[in-house]
Amino acid sequence: MSPSPTTPRSSRPATAPRPRRVRKPISCTPCRDSKLRCDRQHPCATCRRRGLVPSCCYPNTSNPPTRGGVELPRDLYTEHLLSPSRVSIAEGEAEGPAREGHARWEAIFDRPIDPLCDAPVDAAGQAQASDGKVCFPFYFGPSVSKEGILATLPPRECCDYLISQYFLRLSPLFHVLHGPTFQRQYNTFLENPSGANLAWVALLFTVLSMVLNTLEEDDVSLVERLWLQQLQYSSLQGIASQYRKSAMLCLSEDNFLIRHSLNTLEALLILLYGISHNDGVEQTWALLGTAHNIGIALRCNLKIKPPTMSYIEFERRRRCWAGILLLHTYQAILFRDVDVSFLLDKQELFPADVNDSDIHDDFIRQPSSQPTQMSMVMFKLRLFKLSSRICHRLLTPLDDHTLTQFDAEIAAEQAQWDNKFLIDGKPSVLDIASYAHWCILQQYAHQLYLLIHRSFCTRQTPGGPDRRIKSQLKCISSGAALLEIHRLFFEVPRLRHYRWYVYGMTSFCALHGAVALASCLLMQPEEFDSSVYRAAFGAAVVRIEALCGRSPICVKALPILRHLQNMLRPKNFEVPTTIGGDSNNVPEEWAETLPWLSMDIINWVSLSKYPSQL
């Protein structure tokens, strides 16, 4: 059987190529740009989970998406929001398809700044997230409506008063809020409270809680007293605690771990500042790490202002980053084994040393030679750099040369404070805040002096007897200085607005100074005149006792100070037989093992019985 003839390839008739079918996009714009699965609903589940409901749209589709057989309005899926695919290129920069493609990819990889700050939230998506509890990783109970939260706010007049007191008493010490911006946001809130986003409501509750903790009972006017009676709270601290819970509830309801704005970060930082002063620095570690990461996510550590960002928004971010560094300062100064030197190379991120009124959308006025609203923050940031270097160096034993160098650097910072806040070496009678700032900075300086000299107070000091005596005298003077600062905030009328400082950290610093003072006094020879220091110690014990009704720290510190007071009276003190040795062991062990201001580490009950463990 012969094979059938074949037709040559060249002789086959040519067929026209089939037109390529244009595939219509079936995923929404955010899912297509991020290469994620889209369920083709509006809004899709992926956009609801990522908080991108306003950007969920289906461009270039002839048939709009439907839900339940009902055609959705076209303005819900029209590409009217900024997305990577909608970034335009200036006419002068367009150089063909390559340039256009490069700009497109640059836009895709450029992380948006504060994408949720002003974006509206789809009501259906928000309701589903709230019901399913899918947007917050922890379940804290049933959701609370915004109306229910706002109902606990004080009357308008009380709210105005408390906010003004915050910017008078607290804001200069931790100036992370831009006053004019907060004022505008507050005015908008008063016009439409139900329309405010939960992050800003959390900020408002945080401000109110902070200032309520600073007020004395006689600060409250008749209107506030009537308001407190209506709320059935017996003290200002009770309502302050409730407001702090409301602030945390707002953050939780707003899903702050996955959607956050500058208001979220501002609320967290002020909340952390209050916890540090009222409850203890050691209780802020976890939340401080969260705030730090949120600051990075919001690009608060930008070195150069983007062209599209106003100076006000840029400085708000800089101030938040400064707040993060300041909160790390407390950890570095008050804990000897904390190393935060990884943040030392961030000086270019410091905010401008100007007043709020000097910052405008398109420019910032030149810094003034006079103290500004940011002067306290700027000095604290400088102190942060110094304290971080000191704590990093303390991981190994200091030598005499390094000790002398650190002494000189601390003294140089003190000289700058004198030049900025004092007039001819005296406190100003016209500016009360500057005197309070000077006292607070001095407290940190003497804390550092105790930190670097403590290891040189023992008999085994590497510097020999002369170095030991000098360090002991330095610890005596710095310990007495901390007790004097405590007295100023407690007694001096001109510092009345700052008396709240003694309820927390200042009393803990006073305890620190008292332990160092008593320990080093016990090392001195009999001919050393210690009458002035013993009298200052006794007066501090009286103040601590008077503060026990308001300060949990003072309640815990009082038994320790009383026992130390007995130790300063040798005739009345008997060394417990379970410890052994003489009273000279007390300062030796203090210099090596004192847990610096860690309330959870200190065994308060044991120390009240056996103070030689200090």
Side-chain angles (χ1 to χ4, degrees):
M1 186 174 183
S2 61
S4 61
T6 59
T7 305
R9 182 182 302 269
S10 59
S11 62
R12 290 179 178 177
T15 58
R18 288 185 300 175
R20 185 177 181 181
R21 186 178 63 178
V22 179
R23 184 179 181 181
K24 297 179 180 180
I26 58 177
S27 299
C28 68
T29 299
C31 290
R32 286 194 302 111
D33 292 335
S34 302
K35 304 298 188 292
L36 297 176
R37 183 184 298 275
C38 181
D39 61 6
R40 307 170 193 174
Q41 299 298 317
H42 192 279
C44 69
T46 302
C47 287
R48 289 199 302 269
R49 185 176 64 254
R50 299 171 66 199
L52 298 178
V53 172
S55 301
C56 186
C57 51
Y58 296 80
N60 303 325
T61 55
S62 58
N63 298 320
T66 61
R67 179 184 297 167
V70 180
E71 182 176 318
L72 297 178
R74 182 164 297 274
D75 59 355
L76 286 181
Y77 62 88
T78 303
E79 243 185 323
H80 65 283
L81 296 173
L82 284 179
S83 62
S85 61
R86 292 282 295 174
V87 177
S88 59
I89 307 174
E91 294 181 1
E93 297 181 358
E95 297 179 2
R99 180 77 180 195
E100 183 178 353
H102 176 74
R104 176 182 175 85
W105 281 108
E106 287 292 323
I108 289 176
F109 287 108
D110 186 19
R111 177 161 48 87
I113 301 175
D114 226 357
L116 302 177
C117 184
D118 299 316
V121 179
D122 181 79
Q126 188 181 42
Q128 178 172 347
S130 177
D131 295 338
K133 293 293 181 183
V134 297
C135 49
F136 192 79
F138 307 109
Y139 179 73
F140 289 117
S143 297
V144 179
S145 66
K146 184 188 297 184
E147 290 74 15
I149 298 175
L150 294 177
T152 63
L153 282 172
R156 164 71 183 278
E157 294 78 7
C158 300
C159 202
D160 292 347
Y161 171 75
L162 293 175
I163 292 175
S164 65
Q165 291 302 303
Y166 172 84
F167 281 93
L168 173 65
R169 303 173 183 228
L170 284 161
S171 184
L173 305 180
F174 192 67
H175 201 62
V176 297
L177 295 182
H178 181 250
T181 298
F182 184 89
Q183 177 71 70
R184 287 193 295 270
Q185 293 173 338
Y186 181 58
N187 293 341
T188 303
F189 168 77
L190 293 177
E191 294 175 359
N192 182 20
S194 60
N197 62 74
L198 285 173
W200 193 88
V201 177
L203 175 61
L204 178 60
F205 273 110
T206 304
V207 167
L208 298 179
S209 174
M210 278 291 297
V211 74
L212 282 169
N213 269 320
T214 69
L215 296 178
E216 302 292 334
E217 295 298 333
D218 54 353
D219 285 332
V220 186
S221 65
L222 178 60
V223 176
E224 284 78 36
R225 288 188 185 278
L226 293 175
W227 164 57
L228 290 175
Q229 292 174 3
Q230 292 175 359
L231 293 177
Q232 298 180 351
Y233 281 95
S234 59
S235 66
L236 293 171
Q237 288 67 51
I239 186 63
S241 177
Q242 180 58 46
Y243 277 2
R244 190 167 80 175
K245 293 178 182 178
S246 297
M248 299 177 73
L249 177 62
C250 289
L251 293 176
S252 174
E253 291 291 327
D254 198 43
N255 315 311
F256 77 101
L257 289 184
I258 58 175
R259 52 174 290 126
H260 26 256
S261 65
L262 280 179
N263 288 145
T264 306
L265 184 56
E266 290 166 346
L268 280 176
L269 294 178
I270 298 174
L271 184 68
L272 285 166
Y273 182 77
I275 294 174
S276 297
H277 280 273
N278 299 322
D279 303 294
V281 176
E282 71 287 345
Q283 299 187 24
T284 64
W285 266 118
L287 201 54
L288 177 56
T290 301
H292 185 194
N293 289 328
I294 289 178
I296 295 175
L298 295 176
R299 304 179 71 178
C300 295
N301 56 341
L302 286 175
K303 297 182 179 181
I304 301 175
K305 185 185 78 65
T308 57
M309 185 184 297
S310 68
Y311 279 99
I312 291 179
E313 292 302 305
F314 186 60
E315 284 301 312
R316 287 180 65 195
R317 284 174 167 78
R318 286 281 178 100
R319 290 183 178 188
C320 286
W321 191 255
I324 293 172
L325 297 183
L326 293 184
L327 292 170
H328 279 90
T329 304
Y330 298 148
Q331 305 289 350
I333 292 181
L334 304 182
F335 293 91
R336 66 185 180 192
D337 58 346
V338 172
D339 182 14
V340 291
S341 56
F342 67 96
L343 294 171
L344 281 180
D345 58 343
K346 305 297 184 182
Q347 186 170 3
E348 67 274 9
L349 305 181
F350 287 2
D353 186 10
V354 295
N355 293 316
D356 288 350
S357 58
D358 296 329
I359 307 175
H360 301 269
D361 284 330
D362 51 351
F363 72 96
I364 300 178
R365 290 195 178 97
Q366 291 297 320
S368 171
S369 59
Q370 301 298 318
T372 68
Q373 291 172 301
M374 293 297 295
S375 294
M376 180 68 169
V377 173
M378 303 305 293
F379 281 126
K380 279 187 174 182
L381 289 173
R382 289 174 54 88
L383 201 60
F384 164 75
K385 295 189 64 177
L386 176 57
S387 63
S388 299
R389 288 198 298 110
I390 288 176
C391 293
H392 181 69
R393 181 62 180 82
L394 287 176
L395 297 177
T396 57
L398 290 180
D399 54 70
D400 188 73
H401 173 73
T402 307
L403 175 67
T404 303
Q405 178 182 353
F406 282 148
D407 261 333
E409 291 189 46
I410 298 173
E413 292 295 320
Q414 289 178 299
Q416 291 196 39
W417 305 337
D418 294 346
N419 293 334
K420 194 74 169 182
F421 296 120
L422 302 182
I423 299 178
D424 299 329
K426 303 294 182 181
S428 171
V429 296
L430 305 178
D431 185 6
I432 297 176
S434 64
Y435 184 39
H437 298 171
W438 181 85
C439 291
I440 293 171
L441 290 171
Q442 291 294 337
Q443 176 177 273
Y444 295 137
H446 290 293
Q447 196 78 24
L448 287 177
Y449 280 131
L450 294 182
L451 198 61
I452 63 177
H453 281 276
R454 64 178 179 83
S455 60
F456 289 85
C457 293
T458 64
R459 295 187 179 90
Q460 292 78 26
T461 179
D466 291 341
R467 177 73 269 171
R468 182 175 70 249
I469 293 174
K470 290 180 180 178
S471 290
Q472 289 175 3
L473 293 177
K474 186 62 178 179
C475 286
I476 289 175
S477 62
S478 290
L482 289 173
L483 296 184
E484 175 63 13
I485 293 172
H486 187 269
R487 184 193 70 82
L488 291 174
F489 282 112
F490 182 81
E491 295 181 355
V492 175
R494 64 190 301 186
L495 295 178
R496 181 176 181 273
H497 287 329
Y498 300 91
R499 190 181 180 186
W500 61 273
Y501 234 76
V502 299
Y503 300 141
M505 190 177 297
T506 296
S507 287
F508 220 156
C509 290
L511 170 64
H512 190 178
V515 172
L517 177 62
S519 301
C520 291
L521 286 178
L522 291 171
M523 294 182 182
Q524 303 310 307
E526 294 183 359
E527 60 270 17
F528 182 80
D529 185 9
S530 61
S531 57
V532 176
Y533 300 111
R534 293 172 188 266
F537 190 99
V541 175
V542 174
R543 290 194 302 272
I544 293 292
E545 184 176 8
L547 290 169
C548 285
R550 184 81 182 264
S551 171
I553 292 176
C554 293
V555 173
K556 296 180 178 181
L558 183 60
I560 311 300
L561 295 180
R562 282 177 173 168
H563 217 138
L564 289 175
Q565 192 176 27
N566 288 332
M567 294 176 66
L568 294 176
R569 304 169 184 161
K571 295 181 180 180
N572 300 330
F573 178 72
E574 295 181 1
V575 180
T577 57
T578 56
I579 298 297
D582 57 354
S583 61
N584 287 333
N585 288 333
V586 176
E588 295 280 353
E589 296 180 8
W590 160 78
E592 295 300 328
T593 62
L594 176 66
W596 293 77
L597 295 188
S598 179
M599 295 179 63
D600 290 341
I601 297 177
I602 296 177
N603 188 339
W604 296 91
V605 176
S606 176
L607 290 181
S608 64
K609 298 178 181 178
Y610 309 114
S612 61
Q613 296 182 26
L614 287 170

